[in-house]
Amino acid sequence: MTQSTTEPLSLVVVSAGLGVPSSTRLLADRITESVRRELAGTDRPVEVRVVELRDLAVPIANNLVTGFPAPALGEAIEAVGEADGLIAVTPVFTASYSGLFKSFFDLIEPGTLTGRPVLIAATGGTARHSLVLDHALRPLFAYLRAQVAPTAVYAASEDWGGTGDALTETLPDRIARAGRELAGLMAAGPVRSTSTSTADLFA
């Protein structure tokens, strides 16, 4: 009788929140738990790694200037490249993703995220900024050729409950739907192109 040697699925969560505590990290944690629940019925365990970009701000800036990542940043970039699924969450600054968020993904080599399942999410002070999901985040990951989940999650201040971190009815629904979609994409595996050339990546 042999035991199953099925490898665990790797879920990497990139949070660009700046505060402690951060509503961006809180949203990332809620989405992560949703994905965990959806994958609980599969025969593959899930390993989660959270990348807090606020802790890597200086190494990211140095890498952009020198071209060499510090060890902690290198490990984070490697984790993203090896993940079976990615949750990417950013606060909204000036109607777009944060500069820290963009700078981190500028360091990801072209082709690394090709076919990789990604769930995008953002937080902001008002619902008016929700367009950032389709006008900024989705085009960014489409350019990186990731497999972006159909449902993106935006949480404005009014989406959180009046006390503590309680949630309103609509935000949990969006989180649950997005979690199901990412879990399904992860279980199916990444869509890989065997004919993508370096030139194609910049087309």
Side-chain angles (χ1 to χ4, degrees):
M1 182 176 179
T2 59
Q3 293 183 333
S4 174
T5 58
T6 304
E7 292 292 328
L9 290 167
S10 171
L11 175 62
V12 174
V13 184
V14 177
S15 172
L18 299 181
V20 179
S22 163
S23 60
T24 300
R25 175 59 187 273
L26 180 59
L27 179 60
D29 288 345
R30 298 285 184 173
I31 295 172
T32 300
E33 287 308 309
S34 177
V35 177
R36 277 184 183 274
R37 286 194 298 270
E38 293 297 329
L39 289 172
T42 69
D43 60 352
R44 299 183 69 180
V46 182
E47 293 183 349
V48 176
R49 171 165 181 171
V50 178
V51 176
E52 282 278 12
L53 295 187
R54 66 181 301 277
D55 297 331
L56 299 172
V58 173
I60 288 171
N62 287 338
N63 193 168
L64 290 171
V65 174
T66 66
F68 298 99
L73 176 58
E75 291 174 5
I77 292 173
E78 183 179 3
V80 168
E82 295 178 350
D84 294 299
L86 179 67
I87 297 172
V89 191
T90 178
V92 175
F93 290 154
T94 320
S96 189
Y97 36 63
S98 74
L100 181 60
F101 182 88
K102 179 59 163 59
S103 294
F104 176 75
F105 282 101
D106 281 345
L107 301 178
I108 304 298
E109 289 291 331
T112 299
L113 295 182
T114 298
R116 190 67 45 84
V118 177
L119 191 161
I120 55 175
T123 59
T126 171
R128 291 179 299 171
H129 292 309
S130 62
L131 292 175
V132 70
L133 295 170
D134 290 322
H135 289 185
L137 281 167
R138 200 174 292 277
L140 170 63
F141 286 98
Y143 173 79
L144 294 173
R145 299 186 183 273
Q147 188 181 12
V148 184
T151 299
V153 181
Y154 178 83
S157 297
E158 59 264 31
D159 285 319
W160 303 97
T163 59
D165 60 3
L167 301 178
T168 61
E169 183 178 357
T170 56
L171 183 56
D173 291 342
R174 297 198 298 272
I175 290 173
R177 184 168 63 250
R180 283 194 299 271
E181 292 171 355
L182 182 62
L185 292 174
M186 290 177 63
V191 176
R192 298 296 189 189
S193 172
T194 57
S195 60
T196 301
S197 68
T198 302
D200 288 337
L201 294 172
F202 296 94

